[in-house]
Amino acid sequence: MDEILLMLPGPTSVSQRVLEAMSQPIVNHRSALFGELFTKTSSLMSKIFKTEHQSYIITGSGTAAMEAGIVNTLKPNEKVLNVVGGKFGERFMNIAKSHSINTKELEVEWGKAVDPKNIKEALDEDEDIKAITVVHNETSTGVCAPIKEIGKVMKNYDALYIVDTVSSLGGDYVDVDNYGIDVCVTGSQKCLAAPPGMAAITLSDDAWEKSNDVTPNNYYLDMKEYRKSGNKNPPETPYTPSISLTYALYEALKVIEEEGLDNRIKRHHKASKASVEAVEALGLELFADKEVSSATVTAVKLPEGVTDKEFRGTTRDKYKVELAGGQDHLKGNVFRIGHMGNVTYKELAITFSAIGMTLKGLGIDVDPGAGVRSITESYI
Ligand SMILES: *Cc1c(COP(=O)(O)O)cnc(C)c1O
């Protein structure tokens, strides 16, 4: 069977080199050997977050780090402002709700980016807001939020700035310390191009200070325990980590360092621009506002006359290209092309060729080669 090309906004395809790193022998997780792996991995992670602070690796998916970010910095009945313009913004809010934290939703139309002015207004209106949550790259809509500009607003307020960079870290510009981010979280299976199963978090001094005042309503994700174990010699994690996945994550972070973070981000931006142009060349319509279109995922409206099932079914079964569907009310109306991780012109050429052939095959009046031709022109 042909291998299927994953063009998803996570999980992304993992290189052979990273897969092989997972086959190393299991070591004692309370040993110098693991301590060294721990130190190397978290220090590379901090470099990618662009923070002077320690990063902690959590065995769990990205959502585990989102939950850790919330439960360690907010007490029940305290108020958090959640910027919600898609599925993942909503998830942050739902996590807070599940811990009896008082949530206030700043609703953003799906497909549009939040205006930092609205965050400022909300903070001015309500002094009880102790933190805000923002999703940098809203994977469900393909929209990038202006986290740098929001950071400038947040500098004038005491509220903590909590940011999800699960689908942007390693693919778009994130600068935790400079943007004044207090809690930043990510996951292994998106732009970092490691296998799913690991998450990472970093906290500012203000966030740590606040955490001293909070007893997390969650045993596994108590970050003070992670800090305590991380400060041991050799450093360790409070509970048994996935050692194999830590090897893989470390290798994936080394790959990023070798490519150069800046080069990697530019590669993602190029893939994004090329994808947007190819979508337009095929006569299709973007879901997100073009000016705020994500560097790592492009959401496209399904043309009239094709169902999601036949469209993505055909790209997958006939052409071996796996695309993502829409989430929630976008289900059946939108498909998403993940161009994160290791994606180059090669994957995009195959993808747009598959999209063109599929649309033509399903009876849409389209020039099936227009997309792949556009990719060629973008990269020549
Ligand atoms: C994928 C993703 C997550 C985390 O999802 P998991 O399935 O828990 O890894 C969180 N936020 C965003 C923006 C994502 O894209």
Side-chain angles (χ1 to χ4, degrees):
M1 201 189 81
D2 273 356
E3 203 179 312
I4 290 184
L5 174 63
L6 286 188
M7 294 300 286
L8 302 173
T12 57
S13 66
V14 175
S15 68
Q16 195 58 31
R17 172 178 163 186
V18 171
L19 289 174
E20 277 168 13
M22 271 195 295
S23 64
Q24 293 173 79
I26 302 299
V27 294
N28 179 2
H29 66 298
R30 313 222 181 270
S31 69
L33 269 178
F34 182 77
E36 195 192 333
L37 177 64
F38 173 105
T39 305
K40 289 191 301 192
T41 308
S42 52
S43 102
L44 276 182
M45 190 58 88
S46 287
K47 268 196 192 164
I48 295 170
F49 274 131
K50 295 204 175 196
T51 179
E52 294 292 316
H53 289 93
Q54 169 90 41
S55 298
Y56 293 89
I57 314 295
I58 298 171
T59 296
S61 79
T63 306
M66 292 173 81
E67 186 152 14
I70 298 281
V71 296
N72 286 276
T73 57
L74 287 157
K75 287 191 241 187
N77 298 319
E78 279 189 335
K79 199 179 276 180
V80 62
L81 179 75
N82 305 109
V83 177
V84 179
K87 202 68 199 152
F88 293 99
E90 198 173 85
R91 184 172 300 179
F92 250 152
M93 184 170 71
N94 289 337
I95 291 170
K97 278 186 182 158
S98 78
H99 292 284
S100 308
I101 292 156
N102 204 342
T103 61
K104 187 165 182 169
E105 181 175 357
L106 175 54
E107 237 185 300
V108 181
E109 193 185 327
W110 288 37
K112 308 230 177 301
V114 65
D115 184 340
K117 267 194 293 199
N118 295 340
I119 293 177
K120 185 180 183 315
E121 271 168 29
L123 289 166
D124 285 337
E125 240 169 56
D126 190 342
E127 287 184 358
D128 289 339
I129 294 169
K130 300 284 191 233
I132 74 162
T133 66
V134 177
V135 174
H136 180 203
N137 189 74
E138 183 44 84
T139 320
S140 60
T141 61
V143 167
C144 177
I147 55 169
K148 184 178 182 183
E149 288 70 27
I150 298 171
K152 286 182 189 154
V153 168
M154 296 306 293
K155 287 200 168 121
N156 300 314
Y157 298 86
D158 287 336
L160 293 176
Y161 184 21
I162 304 176
V163 183
D164 167 340
T165 62
V166 177
S167 64
S168 58
L169 192 79
D172 202 356
Y173 297 98
V174 175
D175 194 337
V176 168
D177 289 354
N178 269 325
Y179 298 175
I181 297 172
D182 291 297
V183 178
C184 197
V185 301
T186 200
S188 56
Q189 80 278 25
K190 310 266 169 111
C191 307
L192 302 180
M198 298 301 266
I201 184 168
T202 184
L203 287 87
S204 70
D205 290 335
D206 288 347
W208 279 116
E209 198 182 312
K210 177 69 197 289
S211 78
N212 289 331
D213 209 26
V214 178
T215 308
N217 190 10
N218 182 312
Y219 186 85
Y220 185 67
L221 298 172
D222 184 344
M223 291 314 299
K224 292 196 281 290
E225 292 299 321
Y226 282 78
R227 184 174 58 180
K228 198 156 88 189
S229 300
N231 285 339
K232 287 184 182 164
N233 189 14
E236 54 185 47
T237 50
Y239 321 109
T240 316
S242 169
I243 290 160
S244 307
L245 287 176
T246 312
Y247 278 130
L249 181 60
Y250 173 58
E251 199 64 28
L253 299 183
K254 269 204 309 194
V255 169
I256 295 177
E257 200 181 37
E258 286 166 21
E259 180 176 8
L261 184 55
D262 227 50
N263 293 335
R264 187 180 182 90
I265 292 170
K266 286 191 185 123
R267 175 166 60 73
H268 279 80
H269 277 269
K270 181 158 191 173
S272 161
K273 188 164 179 281
S275 298
V276 166
E277 284 168 5
V279 163
E280 288 172 341
L282 279 168
L284 300 176
E285 218 183 312
L286 289 177
F287 176 72
D289 273 0
K290 199 169 163 180
E291 321 78 74
V292 294
S293 191
S294 156
T296 66
V297 55
T298 297
V300 186
K301 292 183 187 165
L302 254 184
E304 237 162 88
V306 273
T307 65
D308 176 60
K309 192 165 181 257
E310 55 192 4
F311 174 70
R312 287 192 306 121
T314 306
T315 64
R316 182 185 55 239
D317 299 336
K318 191 162 181 195
Y319 299 115
K320 311 296 172 199
V321 175
E322 181 98 32
L323 299 168
Q327 292 172 292
D328 251 349
H329 64 270
L330 301 184
K331 207 173 174 150
N333 304 319
V334 157
F335 70 92
R336 292 172 301 149
I337 307 162
H339 34 78
M340 50 179 78
N342 297 318
V343 168
T344 64
Y345 85 93
K346 197 165 74 178
E347 290 78 16
L348 290 176
I350 294 168
T351 300
F352 278 94
S353 160
I355 292 173
M357 290 191 286
T358 299
L359 291 174
K360 186 77 185 173
L362 292 173
I364 300 293
D365 180 23
V366 66
D367 169 1
V372 67
R373 208 156 50 240
S374 172
I375 293 295
T376 311
E377 279 156 17
S378 292
Y379 279 91
I380 201 164

